[in-house]
Amino acid sequence: MKYEPVIGMEVHVELSTKSKVFCGCSTNFHAPANSNVCPVCLGMPGVLPVINKRAVEMSVMVGLALNCTISRWSKMDRKNYFYPDLAKNYQISQYDLPLCHDGFIDIKANGTSKRIGITRAHLEEDTARNTHTIGGGDSGVDFNRCGVTLLEIVTEPDIRGAEEAFAYLTELKQLLRYLDVSDCNMEEGSLRAEANISIRPTGTESFGTKTEVKNVASFSGIQKAIEFEIARQAKLIDEGGKVVQETRGWDADRGITFSQRAKESAHDYRYFPDPDLVPIVVDEAWEGRIRESLPELPQARRARFESGYGLSAYDAGVLTAEKEMADYYEAVVKQGCAPKQAANWLSVELQALLTEHKQELTASKVTADRLAAMLKLIEDGTISGKIAKEVLLDMFESGKEPKAIVEEKNLVQISDTSAIESAAREVIAANPGPVAEFRSGKEKTFGFLVGQLMKATKGKANPQMANEVLRKVLKETE
Ligand code: ADP
Ligand code: MG
Ligand code: ZN
């Protein structure tokens, strides 16, 4: 490759504090426009913001999970600019002393693991939301979002391609979801990611001029936007042109980035410490309490699933992708079900039903207890794996206990030799042709005969016994 991409990500994540970061207003996303507002978040003169303690705690949780140093002392600054979504004409943010800094996160991309440096994670307030009617004419501002707790997470320029960027975002989102500090819903804007992209001749050290791609609605969109941007910059340079530092948007329909505005430099914001807010002091004891409150994080859980349950890296990855899934899995295994079997039924069979019906696992009628009860019915030989699929579907729809379904539908596996034997005799009598074929040495026909026997018993014959008994009866009647 002629050029090497250099990428740094900036992610804004809305933390799920119940109230806003500097006032008591609710953060409910679904409230009617401009109903969650007060003089503080509307930027009235003379009001005094007060910082939300939980916002600081959640930010420190993220900082610790990202292996950051937590500042013992930090402060809030005013970032001054005019925009209709910002009634105060400044955003309260953090400038030179972020709450969390110098961390890292390990990602897996292209089959290898790689460490991405975290420059900083700082606390700020979200802005209002501008709304425009399609076709123009009307614009509005919804101040419900103004003042919602926002954490900005900035990486070092350590990312070397679109796939790594995708892996970083996936890993970060997973971490935030495990920490339960944000729903990370991109459609509702609770997670917004921007990519800073430049290229340099492969083998050289110094960075090229970067562009910043904003307003992309999905991780896969960001991946495509980065790929496009790398190719665009390479072509530009090859043709003797120069990359200009600017903010670019992403047109998902056309699959291209486009220039939005030239980058204003940082000092334009005239940052200065907000005189209305006291410094944030996180002493060792508080940091320690927050550290102790951290849940088991995704990477640790993945490793434990592999070593503790003997799962493959792939299965462990699938089962820990969402915390809810991992919790569910462990609830099943705790009831004594075989780990591998539980993994398959959850991540393949039940997952297929959930995907088909666009249902969340946590909303499913197939609770962990019910799935475990069904797995036990397989393990103790009451039902076969084939019948279990039927039971699972019934449970999925009706929410009944697996035992009740098995009894109601009379699905108990037939393990009674004499019943299977008489069915085998009937099958042999009804299929003289295939039986003759089998006896002349065509072993393949045996499979057909077993199929007929299963059909005759409505799939309920214990499959292993069906095989054995049929072979025995074929021999006896030769
Ligand atoms: P800005 O002031 O333009 O926001 P920053 O220095 O704050 O720039 O960096 C923002 C992000 O851009 C960070 O993630 C950083 O790692 C990344 N970055 C900085 N320089 C480059 C570059 N030349 N190419 C790619 N990414 C870069
Ligand atoms: Mg920036
Ligand atoms: Zn308010």
Side-chain angles (χ1 to χ4, degrees):
M1 273 223 304
K2 192 169 168 194
Y3 297 107
E4 178 183 51
V6 172
I7 300 161
M9 302 291 300
E10 293 168 285
V11 169
H12 284 91
V13 57
E14 280 182 347
L15 300 184
S16 51
T17 49
K18 286 208 181 67
S19 55
K20 295 184 181 180
V21 61
F22 299 120
C23 62
C25 290
S26 161
T27 54
N28 177 13
F29 179 81
H30 301 283
N34 293 308
S35 61
N36 294 337
V37 292
C38 74
V40 173
C41 54
L42 286 174
M44 301 289 177
V47 294
L48 280 178
V50 176
I51 201 160
N52 182 329
K53 186 176 175 189
R54 188 68 191 142
V56 177
E57 269 169 357
M58 285 182 166
S59 303
V60 171
M61 283 171 78
V62 177
L64 290 173
L66 291 172
N67 306 291
C68 288
T69 302
I70 308 301
S71 298
R72 286 279 164 267
W73 195 97
S74 66
K75 64 181 167 70
M76 303 307 299
D77 299 287
R78 290 186 181 181
K79 179 181 182 180
N80 300 281
Y81 65 96
F82 168 78
Y83 206 66
D85 63 8
L86 196 67
K88 301 195 294 295
N89 284 349
Y90 62 84
Q91 178 192 27
I92 304 178
S93 180
Q94 293 195 292
Y95 183 48
D96 53 337
L97 292 172
L99 186 53
C100 318
H101 58 93
D102 295 299
F104 64 83
I105 185 171
D106 289 328
I107 63 162
K108 262 214 170 84
N110 310 302
T112 51
S113 105
K114 159 148 191 189
R115 183 157 290 185
I116 307 296
I118 302 291
T119 313
R120 57 191 281 155
H122 71 254
L123 192 54
E124 57 188 31
E125 58 178 340
D126 208 346
T127 57
R129 215 163 54 85
N130 292 336
T131 54
H132 310 282
T133 49
I134 293 167
D138 261 327
S139 287
V141 189
D142 179 2
F143 278 88
N144 283 354
R145 199 181 70 177
C146 195
V148 167
T149 311
L150 207 58
L151 189 71
E152 178 172 349
I153 303 163
V154 183
T155 75
E156 289 291 296
D158 288 346
I159 297 167
R160 290 290 168 270
E163 194 179 327
E164 284 185 17
F166 183 87
Y168 165 71
L169 292 171
T170 307
E171 195 75 42
L172 178 66
K173 178 178 167 185
Q174 201 180 56
L175 196 65
L176 295 166
R177 301 261 308 151
Y178 265 65
L179 292 170
D180 203 15
V181 294
S182 175
D183 58 18
C184 299
N185 185 335
M186 286 187 91
E187 276 149 42
E188 294 182 357
S190 23
L191 190 149
R192 282 126 46 195
E194 293 150 26
N196 295 269
I197 308 150
S198 66
I199 58 171
R200 62 184 174 192
T202 302
T204 63
E205 284 290 315
S206 59
F207 292 161
T209 304
K210 71 178 164 79
T211 59
E212 187 174 347
V213 180
K214 278 193 165 172
N215 300 323
V216 192
S218 68
F219 289 176
S220 59
I222 291 168
Q223 188 170 358
K224 287 192 200 117
I226 291 173
E227 274 159 10
F228 176 86
E229 197 49 26
I230 292 168
R232 186 190 70 86
Q233 292 182 12
K235 184 159 177 280
L236 196 60
I237 293 170
D238 281 344
E239 286 169 354
K242 261 200 170 114
V243 175
V244 284
Q245 183 162 345
E246 61 184 356
T247 301
R248 297 178 71 86
W250 169 244
D251 183 333
D253 293 333
R254 294 166 68 198
I256 57 165
T257 65
F258 58 92
S259 179
Q260 279 185 318
R261 62 183 150 92
K263 179 82 195 175
E264 64 276 46
S265 49
H267 60 254
D268 276 353
Y269 293 124
R270 306 242 165 203
Y271 282 96
F272 67 88
D274 192 307
D276 288 341
L277 286 155
V278 293
I280 304 172
V281 177
V282 182
D283 61 18
E284 229 166 288
W286 192 18
E287 183 186 320
R289 285 199 301 280
I290 297 171
R291 192 184 290 278
E292 269 168 34
S293 78
L294 292 182
E296 184 181 33
L297 298 175
Q299 284 175 5
R301 202 165 199 187
R302 268 196 306 268
R304 187 167 61 77
F305 272 32
E306 280 182 57
S307 61
Y309 300 127
L311 298 179
S312 66
Y314 177 80
D315 281 344
V318 170
L319 291 169
T320 55
E322 291 283 344
K323 183 169 177 288
E324 290 76 14
M325 173 80 110
D327 288 344
Y328 184 109
Y329 174 73
E330 294 214 271
V332 173
V333 172
K334 275 208 183 89
Q335 307 217 16
C337 299
K340 183 69 195 161
Q341 167 127 302
N344 286 341
W345 280 91
L346 174 53
S347 68
V348 182
E349 304 298 340
L350 179 55
Q351 187 57 54
L353 289 173
L354 293 168
T355 307
E356 187 189 334
H357 297 267
K358 295 191 175 63
Q359 215 184 75
E360 293 290 329
L361 177 61
T362 46
S364 173
K365 290 176 184 161
V366 184
T367 59
D369 283 352
R370 289 191 183 128
L371 185 66
M374 191 197 83
L375 294 178
K376 285 200 181 133
L377 293 178
I378 303 175
E379 280 172 32
D380 70 14
T382 307
I383 54 174
S384 65
K386 192 170 143 63
I387 291 292
K389 287 189 189 180
E390 192 182 330
V391 175
L392 182 69
L393 181 62
D394 193 322
M395 268 202 296
F396 187 83
E397 285 165 353
S398 70
K400 287 183 191 152
E401 294 300 326
K403 234 193 176 113
I405 296 168
V406 169
E407 278 164 14
E408 228 170 75
K409 294 192 166 169
N410 189 24
L411 297 174
V412 176
Q413 180 162 258
I414 304 171
S415 300
D416 164 8
T417 326
S418 60
I420 297 177
E421 218 178 288
S422 66
R425 285 181 200 284
E426 279 167 30
V427 166
I428 290 167
N431 295 280
V435 168
E437 249 179 42
F438 170 75
R439 288 190 172 139
S440 69
K442 254 199 173 166
E443 180 62 25
K444 255 167 78 187
T445 319
F446 185 69
F448 167 79
L449 292 169
V450 172
Q452 294 304 108
L453 176 52
M454 292 307 288
K455 211 171 176 181
T457 57
K458 299 198 176 68
K460 293 189 293 184
N462 175 321
Q464 202 192 331
M465 288 176 76
N467 269 274
E468 288 166 10
V469 170
L470 182 62
R471 218 174 262 284
K472 192 190 84 179
V473 179
L474 277 166
K475 204 164 220 140
E476 283 170 8
T477 55
E478 194 147 15

